[in-house]
Amino acid sequence: MELGSRRIYTTMPSKLRSSSSLLPRILLLSLLLLLFYSLILRRPITSNIASPPPCDLFSGRWVFNPETPKPLYDETCPFHRNAWNCLRNKRDNMDVINSWRWEPNGCGLSRIDPTRFLGMMRNKNVGFVGDSLNENFLVSFLCILRVADPSAIKWKKKKAWRGAYFPKFNVTVAYHRAVLLAKYQWQARSSAEANQDGVKGTYRVDVDVPANEWINVTSFYDVLIFNSGHWWGYDKFPKETPLVFYRKGKPINPPLDILPGFELVLQNMVSYIQREVPAKTLKFWRLQSPRHFYGGDWNQNGSCLLDKPLEENQVWNNGVNKEARKINQIIKNELQTTKIKLLDLTHLSEFRADAHPAIWLGKQDAVAIWGQDCMHWCLPGVPDTWVDILAELILTNLKTE
């Protein structure tokens, strides 16, 4: 079309048409590139240190480091039990005892951050069920968590032996004393009967009935840590006062020896846990805490006055924990088809023959009456490492839910 001497194009020249058709594509490509690079830049930078590979926290070695940070609590923690409060009892070498750090093979173990832990556990509860070694564990846990909430108060509801409530986070952590896990009770015999065979009485153990101290309370807890084993020995139940096992209210015949009795109790308690404890509850079973009585058992003047951890060859050749290993194997066999997680603290603790209360028990004549304590642990001490491991496993499982 022409108007006078000027030509006006009603259609676009081919060069302009091709340029204009490319423009949207260039813009789209630019936007895609910007999006791609923004995602790359927003992605957190990771390293082997920041995100260590999964590892076995129970295998490793103790490393001495005088620069190890001091424990998170001291002798003033209100949840202490006197005989384990080794700082107040002036136990020798407490600085040295707490200068050893557990280093798992192939990865690091971080010290628990009490504030972070309680923050992630807000409105949840943690329960320990078992013997006094689980109580030893609990006391360490309570004293550490109190750092994040000094307003914590003692808690003994729902048949708990001891515990604490942390109001800032609405978290309860408690221990239920049930040394055999199953219900048991003393049955005295008459003097005439006792004189005949020397048996003063028996302890009736109902292998299929959980102890009153923890039956019907497990639904209150979001995490449960079970143990049993230290009372399953002839030092606790000698032939003068033996265990007698019952099933469905009737004596088991022929009578069971103590370890077969333990196996049967374990089978029934695990079955009860699987059946009655809510599936969403995170369940652990702590294996045996090793003993270090040398020269005799706890009631035979056994001693543990050592000044450093055992060497590797001393651990594997250590005869004082043969029974613990037998019990551990029974537990492992029973739990292998369940969802109950093993808390295998035996090996790492077996090195630490130097870290028991020994003769520093906080009461005059305690050693003369009870002997040295080479079974429980000084606090602060080895159970603080147990807490680090347990906290790591709990939080890891919470993240994967």
Side-chain angles (χ1 to χ4, degrees), residues 140-174:
S140 167
F141 208 6
L142 297 184
C143 288
I144 287 171
L145 294 180
R146 184 177 175 270
V147 173
D149 188 359
S151 64
I153 57 174
K154 293 181 180 179
W155 190 90
K156 293 182 68 174
K157 299 177 182 179
K158 297 184 180 291
K159 305 177 186 176
W161 181 265
R162 70 163 63 205
Y165 174 64
F166 298 87
K168 186 176 176 182
F169 301 90
N170 191 30
V171 170
T172 299
V173 182

Short mmCIF file of all heavy atoms in Angstrom, two decimals, residues 140-174:
data_model
loop_
_atom_site.label_atom_id
_atom_site.label_comp_id
_atom_site.label_asym_id
_atom_site.label_seq_id
_atom_site.Cartn_x
_atom_site.Cartn_y
_atom_site.Cartn_z
N SER A 140 20.92 -39.15 85.38
CA SER A 140 21.78 -38.39 84.46
C SER A 140 20.93 -37.57 83.49
O SER A 140 21.19 -36.37 83.27
CB SER A 140 22.69 -39.36 83.69
OG SER A 140 23.32 -38.71 82.60
N PHE A 141 19.92 -38.20 82.92
CA PHE A 141 19.05 -37.55 81.94
C PHE A 141 18.35 -36.33 82.55
O PHE A 141 18.30 -35.24 81.95
CB PHE A 141 18.02 -38.57 81.45
CG PHE A 141 17.49 -38.34 80.06
CD1 PHE A 141 18.00 -37.35 79.24
CD2 PHE A 141 16.47 -39.14 79.57
CE1 PHE A 141 17.51 -37.16 77.95
CE2 PHE A 141 15.97 -38.96 78.29
CZ PHE A 141 16.49 -37.96 77.48
N LEU A 142 17.80 -36.51 83.76
CA LEU A 142 17.08 -35.42 84.42
C LEU A 142 18.00 -34.23 84.70
O LEU A 142 17.62 -33.07 84.48
CB LEU A 142 16.44 -35.91 85.73
CG LEU A 142 15.38 -37.00 85.63
CD1 LEU A 142 14.79 -37.28 87.00
CD2 LEU A 142 14.28 -36.62 84.65
N CYS A 143 19.19 -34.52 85.22
CA CYS A 143 20.12 -33.44 85.56
C CYS A 143 20.56 -32.68 84.31
O CYS A 143 20.74 -31.46 84.35
CB CYS A 143 21.32 -34.00 86.32
SG CYS A 143 20.94 -34.52 88.02
N ILE A 144 20.75 -33.40 83.21
CA ILE A 144 21.14 -32.75 81.95
C ILE A 144 19.99 -31.89 81.41
O ILE A 144 20.18 -30.73 81.03
CB ILE A 144 21.56 -33.80 80.92
CG1 ILE A 144 22.94 -34.38 81.29
CG2 ILE A 144 21.61 -33.22 79.52
CD1 ILE A 144 23.37 -35.57 80.47
N LEU A 145 18.77 -32.43 81.39
CA LEU A 145 17.64 -31.69 80.84
C LEU A 145 17.28 -30.47 81.68
O LEU A 145 16.78 -29.46 81.15
CB LEU A 145 16.42 -32.61 80.72
CG LEU A 145 16.55 -33.77 79.72
CD1 LEU A 145 15.27 -34.60 79.70
CD2 LEU A 145 16.87 -33.27 78.32
N ARG A 146 17.56 -30.53 82.97
CA ARG A 146 17.25 -29.39 83.85
C ARG A 146 18.01 -28.13 83.45
O ARG A 146 17.58 -27.01 83.76
CB ARG A 146 17.55 -29.78 85.29
CG ARG A 146 17.19 -28.70 86.30
CD ARG A 146 17.45 -29.16 87.72
NE ARG A 146 17.21 -28.08 88.65
CZ ARG A 146 18.13 -27.20 89.04
NH1 ARG A 146 19.37 -27.30 88.57
NH2 ARG A 146 17.83 -26.24 89.89
N VAL A 147 19.13 -28.29 82.75
CA VAL A 147 19.89 -27.14 82.26
C VAL A 147 18.99 -26.25 81.39
O VAL A 147 19.09 -25.02 81.42
CB VAL A 147 21.13 -27.61 81.46
CG1 VAL A 147 21.83 -26.43 80.79
CG2 VAL A 147 22.09 -28.36 82.37
N ALA A 148 18.09 -26.87 80.63
CA ALA A 148 17.20 -26.13 79.73
C ALA A 148 15.95 -25.62 80.44
O ALA A 148 15.25 -24.75 79.90
CB ALA A 148 16.81 -27.02 78.55
N ASP A 149 15.64 -26.19 81.60
CA ASP A 149 14.44 -25.77 82.33
C ASP A 149 14.67 -25.90 83.83
O ASP A 149 14.28 -26.91 84.45
CB ASP A 149 13.23 -26.60 81.90
CG ASP A 149 11.93 -26.08 82.48
OD1 ASP A 149 11.96 -25.09 83.22
OD2 ASP A 149 10.86 -26.68 82.20
N PRO A 150 15.31 -24.90 84.46
CA PRO A 150 15.59 -24.97 85.90
C PRO A 150 14.33 -25.02 86.77
O PRO A 150 14.42 -25.33 87.96
CB PRO A 150 16.37 -23.66 86.16
CG PRO A 150 16.91 -23.26 84.83
CD PRO A 150 15.88 -23.70 83.83
N SER A 151 13.16 -24.77 86.17
CA SER A 151 11.91 -24.82 86.94
C SER A 151 11.37 -26.25 87.05
O SER A 151 10.28 -26.46 87.61
CB SER A 151 10.86 -23.92 86.30
OG SER A 151 10.51 -24.39 85.00
N ALA A 152 12.10 -27.24 86.51
CA ALA A 152 11.66 -28.64 86.57
C ALA A 152 11.39 -29.07 88.00
O ALA A 152 12.11 -28.70 88.93
CB ALA A 152 12.71 -29.54 85.93
N ILE A 153 10.34 -29.86 88.17
CA ILE A 153 9.95 -30.32 89.50
C ILE A 153 9.90 -31.84 89.54
O ILE A 153 9.73 -32.50 88.52
CB ILE A 153 8.57 -29.76 89.91
CG1 ILE A 153 7.50 -30.14 88.86
CG2 ILE A 153 8.64 -28.24 90.08
CD1 ILE A 153 6.09 -29.75 89.25
N LYS A 154 10.06 -32.39 90.74
CA LYS A 154 10.00 -33.85 90.90
C LYS A 154 8.60 -34.35 90.58
O LYS A 154 7.60 -33.69 90.87
CB LYS A 154 10.41 -34.23 92.32
CG LYS A 154 11.87 -33.94 92.61
CD LYS A 154 12.27 -34.34 94.02
CE LYS A 154 13.75 -34.03 94.26
NZ LYS A 154 14.17 -34.39 95.64
N TRP A 155 8.55 -35.54 90.00
CA TRP A 155 7.28 -36.11 89.53
C TRP A 155 7.24 -37.59 89.86
O TRP A 155 8.13 -38.34 89.47
CB TRP A 155 7.19 -35.90 88.01
CG TRP A 155 5.86 -36.21 87.37
CD1 TRP A 155 4.82 -35.37 87.18
CD2 TRP A 155 5.46 -37.47 86.80
NE1 TRP A 155 3.79 -36.01 86.52
CE2 TRP A 155 4.16 -37.31 86.28
CE3 TRP A 155 6.07 -38.72 86.69
CZ2 TRP A 155 3.46 -38.34 85.65
CZ3 TRP A 155 5.38 -39.75 86.07
CH2 TRP A 155 4.08 -39.55 85.56
N LYS A 156 6.20 -38.03 90.60
CA LYS A 156 6.10 -39.45 90.99
C LYS A 156 4.67 -39.95 90.83
O LYS A 156 4.19 -40.75 91.62
CB LYS A 156 6.57 -39.63 92.44
CG LYS A 156 8.05 -39.36 92.65
CD LYS A 156 8.48 -39.60 94.09
CE LYS A 156 8.42 -41.06 94.46
NZ LYS A 156 8.97 -41.33 95.81
N LYS A 157 4.02 -39.52 89.78
CA LYS A 157 2.65 -39.97 89.52
C LYS A 157 2.68 -41.27 88.71
O LYS A 157 3.73 -41.72 88.27
CB LYS A 157 1.87 -38.88 88.78
CG LYS A 157 1.75 -37.57 89.56
CD LYS A 157 1.02 -36.51 88.75
CE LYS A 157 0.96 -35.19 89.52
NZ LYS A 157 0.28 -34.13 88.72
N LYS A 158 1.49 -41.84 88.51
CA LYS A 158 1.33 -43.03 87.68
C LYS A 158 2.28 -44.17 88.07
O LYS A 158 2.87 -44.84 87.24
CB LYS A 158 1.51 -42.68 86.20
CG LYS A 158 0.45 -41.70 85.67
CD LYS A 158 0.60 -41.45 84.20
CE LYS A 158 -0.47 -40.49 83.72
NZ LYS A 158 -1.84 -41.09 83.73
N LYS A 159 2.47 -44.34 89.36
CA LYS A 159 3.29 -45.42 89.93
C LYS A 159 4.79 -45.26 89.65
O LYS A 159 5.55 -46.22 89.80
CB LYS A 159 2.83 -46.80 89.43
CG LYS A 159 1.35 -47.10 89.66
CD LYS A 159 0.98 -48.46 89.07
CE LYS A 159 -0.50 -48.71 89.17
NZ LYS A 159 -0.88 -49.99 88.51
N ALA A 160 5.21 -44.08 89.24
CA ALA A 160 6.64 -43.87 88.96
C ALA A 160 7.43 -43.86 90.27
O ALA A 160 6.98 -43.34 91.29
CB ALA A 160 6.84 -42.55 88.22
N TRP A 161 8.62 -44.43 90.21
CA TRP A 161 9.53 -44.46 91.36
C TRP A 161 10.16 -43.09 91.56
O TRP A 161 10.31 -42.61 92.66
CB TRP A 161 10.59 -45.52 91.11
CG TRP A 161 11.61 -45.73 92.17
CD1 TRP A 161 12.85 -45.17 92.24
CD2 TRP A 161 11.51 -46.59 93.32
NE1 TRP A 161 13.53 -45.62 93.34
CE2 TRP A 161 12.73 -46.50 94.02
CE3 TRP A 161 10.50 -47.43 93.81
CZ2 TRP A 161 12.98 -47.20 95.20
CZ3 TRP A 161 10.75 -48.14 94.98
CH2 TRP A 161 11.98 -48.02 95.65
N ARG A 162 10.55 -42.46 90.45
CA ARG A 162 11.03 -41.08 90.48
C ARG A 162 10.97 -40.52 89.07
O ARG A 162 10.89 -41.26 88.09
CB ARG A 162 12.45 -40.98 91.03
CG ARG A 162 13.55 -41.55 90.15
CD ARG A 162 14.91 -41.04 90.58
NE ARG A 162 15.27 -41.47 91.92
CZ ARG A 162 16.13 -40.83 92.71
NH1 ARG A 162 16.71 -39.73 92.30
NH2 ARG A 162 16.42 -41.28 93.90
N GLY A 163 10.99 -39.19 88.97
CA GLY A 163 10.93 -38.55 87.66
C GLY A 163 10.90 -37.05 87.81
O GLY A 163 11.06 -36.50 88.90
N ALA A 164 10.69 -36.35 86.70
CA ALA A 164 10.64 -34.89 86.70
C ALA A 164 9.70 -34.42 85.60
O ALA A 164 9.57 -35.04 84.55
CB ALA A 164 12.03 -34.30 86.50
N TYR A 165 9.08 -33.27 85.90
CA TYR A 165 8.23 -32.61 84.91
C TYR A 165 8.89 -31.29 84.53
O TYR A 165 9.32 -30.52 85.41
CB TYR A 165 6.84 -32.35 85.49
CG TYR A 165 5.95 -31.53 84.59
CD1 TYR A 165 5.55 -32.01 83.35
CD2 TYR A 165 5.50 -30.26 84.99
CE1 TYR A 165 4.74 -31.25 82.51
CE2 TYR A 165 4.69 -29.50 84.17
CZ TYR A 165 4.31 -30.00 82.92
OH TYR A 165 3.53 -29.26 82.10
N PHE A 166 9.00 -31.02 83.23
CA PHE A 166 9.64 -29.83 82.72
C PHE A 166 8.55 -28.91 82.15
O PHE A 166 8.15 -29.06 80.99
CB PHE A 166 10.67 -30.22 81.64
CG PHE A 166 11.77 -31.10 82.17
CD1 PHE A 166 11.61 -32.48 82.22
CD2 PHE A 166 12.95 -30.55 82.66
CE1 PHE A 166 12.61 -33.29 82.74
CE2 PHE A 166 13.96 -31.36 83.17
CZ PHE A 166 13.79 -32.73 83.22
N PRO A 167 8.05 -27.99 82.98
CA PRO A 167 6.86 -27.21 82.59
C PRO A 167 7.07 -26.31 81.38
O PRO A 167 6.13 -26.05 80.63
CB PRO A 167 6.56 -26.37 83.85
CG PRO A 167 7.83 -26.36 84.63
CD PRO A 167 8.50 -27.66 84.34
N LYS A 168 8.29 -25.84 81.18
CA LYS A 168 8.57 -24.95 80.04
C LYS A 168 8.28 -25.64 78.71
O LYS A 168 7.92 -25.00 77.72
CB LYS A 168 10.02 -24.50 80.11
CG LYS A 168 10.43 -23.47 79.08
CD LYS A 168 11.87 -23.04 79.32
CE LYS A 168 12.35 -22.07 78.24
NZ LYS A 168 13.77 -21.69 78.45
N PHE A 169 8.40 -26.98 78.69
CA PHE A 169 8.21 -27.74 77.46
C PHE A 169 7.06 -28.75 77.56
O PHE A 169 6.79 -29.45 76.58
CB PHE A 169 9.50 -28.49 77.11
CG PHE A 169 10.69 -27.60 76.92
CD1 PHE A 169 11.52 -27.27 77.98
CD2 PHE A 169 10.98 -27.07 75.67
CE1 PHE A 169 12.64 -26.44 77.81
CE2 PHE A 169 12.08 -26.24 75.48
CZ PHE A 169 12.90 -25.92 76.55
N ASN A 170 6.43 -28.83 78.72
CA ASN A 170 5.37 -29.82 78.96
C ASN A 170 5.87 -31.23 78.65
O ASN A 170 5.24 -32.00 77.91
CB ASN A 170 4.12 -29.51 78.14
CG ASN A 170 2.92 -30.35 78.56
OD1 ASN A 170 2.80 -30.73 79.73
ND2 ASN A 170 2.05 -30.66 77.61
N VAL A 171 7.02 -31.58 79.22
CA VAL A 171 7.64 -32.90 79.03
C VAL A 171 7.82 -33.56 80.39
O VAL A 171 8.26 -32.92 81.35
CB VAL A 171 9.01 -32.76 78.33
CG1 VAL A 171 9.76 -34.09 78.34
CG2 VAL A 171 8.82 -32.28 76.89
N THR A 172 7.48 -34.84 80.47
CA THR A 172 7.72 -35.63 81.68
C THR A 172 8.71 -36.74 81.35
O THR A 172 8.59 -37.40 80.32
CB THR A 172 6.41 -36.25 82.21
OG1 THR A 172 5.51 -35.20 82.55
CG2 THR A 172 6.66 -37.12 83.43
N VAL A 173 9.68 -36.95 82.25
CA VAL A 173 10.64 -38.05 82.11
C VAL A 173 10.66 -38.78 83.45
O VAL A 173 10.94 -38.16 84.49
CB VAL A 173 12.05 -37.52 81.76
CG1 VAL A 173 13.02 -38.70 81.56
CG2 VAL A 173 12.02 -36.66 80.51
N ALA A 174 10.37 -40.08 83.44
CA ALA A 174 10.19 -40.79 84.71
C ALA A 174 10.68 -42.23 84.62
O ALA A 174 10.85 -42.79 83.53
CB ALA A 174 8.73 -40.76 85.14
#
